[in-house]
Amino acid sequence: MKIGLIYTGTTPELVALVEREVQAALGEQAELYSLQDPTVLADVRAAGYVPAAPAARLVGMYMQAVQAGCDALLNLCSSVGEVADSVQALARYLGVPIVRVDEEMCRQAVRTGARIAVVATLPTTMTPTKNTLLRVAREIGRRVTLVDCLVEGSFGLDPDAFRARMAHSVGTVARQADVILFAQGSMAYCEAYIQGLYGLPVLSSPRFGAAALRSTLAAKGLL
């Protein structure tokens, strides 16, 4: 069983966390095949949306993983999650499902509370995550209110400084929320800290993405 992990921008901490969650969900027999192209996220960030060229490079990574013999792909960037949505028909035809790391997290957020604080460092991540929340809320039959929490000035900070910056930003919206959702997997190491500070459920995507990947592989008959 071979799993394609598709990254745009990443950090060593995120890679380690994702691999740990995926191995825990699938077992050590899973072979992990990682592809990274940081120019995809850089171009999306510069444009403020997903232009055609970086979207095409992302789809190229999907196809490279398919050609390498992967049984399923995990898309690890929420900023380009809607690109993954756009090629799901092709993925079904190829028999290689593409799992979005954040979709099941969004479903859990909608199940958990009506007021969802969406925490991100990039507006380009905020918008597609909110679109996904609204879509799954409609599918589940729930009404939700989304509260933006943009952690500004966070790039280049060390983990402790970032954690403090995030805590301050979340503190400005915590009273308006029933649940806090981290729009970027790279924030996951702050989950327990923020939950301890504000006493609200906090959701981050790597563990949900790994669980969704397991369910997808089980439906395919590989687990």
Side-chain angles (χ1 to χ4, degrees):
M1 181 170 51
K2 189 173 184 178
I3 309 302
L5 303 178
I6 311 301
Y7 299 91
T8 56
T10 189
T11 65
E13 293 81 8
L14 176 60
V15 171
L17 175 60
V18 167
E19 292 186 355
R20 185 166 65 247
E21 293 284 0
V22 171
Q23 297 280 196
L26 304 183
E28 294 300 322
Q29 77 274 13
E31 178 186 352
L32 305 184
Y33 178 80
S34 294
L35 291 171
Q36 302 180 20
D37 184 350
T39 70
V40 171
L41 185 58
D43 287 357
V44 169
R45 184 183 177 193
Y49 69 103
V50 184
R57 294 200 298 278
L58 179 65
V59 174
M61 283 198 286
Y62 296 156
M63 295 303 100
Q64 183 178 340
V66 170
Q67 291 177 344
C70 290
D71 297 295
L73 312 181
L74 183 61
N75 184 85
L76 286 150
C77 179
S78 297
S79 291
V80 295
E82 290 171 329
V83 179
D85 292 341
S86 74
V87 295
Q88 290 295 352
L90 175 60
R92 286 191 294 271
Y93 177 79
L94 296 173
V96 182
I98 302 172
V99 177
R100 282 183 54 169
V101 72
D102 57 345
E103 181 153 348
E104 186 54 35
M105 174 186 66
C106 289
R107 291 185 185 280
Q108 182 60 31
V110 170
R111 296 183 194 109
T112 301
R115 301 178 303 164
I116 303 169
V118 183
V119 185
T121 63
L122 295 171
T124 51
T125 306
M126 184 79 72
T127 299
T129 301
K130 289 168 62 177
N131 289 344
T132 301
L133 284 162
L134 293 172
R135 173 173 60 80
V136 300
R138 184 172 61 252
E139 291 170 358
I140 293 172
R142 301 281 180 89
R143 294 177 64 90
V144 295
T145 299
L146 306 182
V147 181
D148 289 6
C149 181
L150 192 62
V151 186
E152 297 183 285
S154 58
F155 283 91
L157 298 180
D158 64 48
D160 289 339
F162 178 77
R163 191 182 289 112
R165 182 69 57 88
M166 175 185 275
H168 172 76
S169 298
V170 172
T172 66
V173 301
R175 292 185 179 180
Q176 305 170 49
D178 303 313
V179 57
I180 296 166
L181 179 145
F182 291 171
Q184 291 155 236
S186 57
M187 299 174 166
Y189 72 94
C190 300
E191 184 176 335
Y193 176 68
I194 296 298
Q195 185 164 338
L197 280 180
Y198 298 109
L200 293 171
V202 178
L203 308 180
S204 61
S205 58
R207 60 192 171 94
F208 286 98
L213 185 61
R214 178 176 176 81
S215 295
T216 297
L217 289 164
K220 194 176 175 181
L222 293 178
L223 289 174

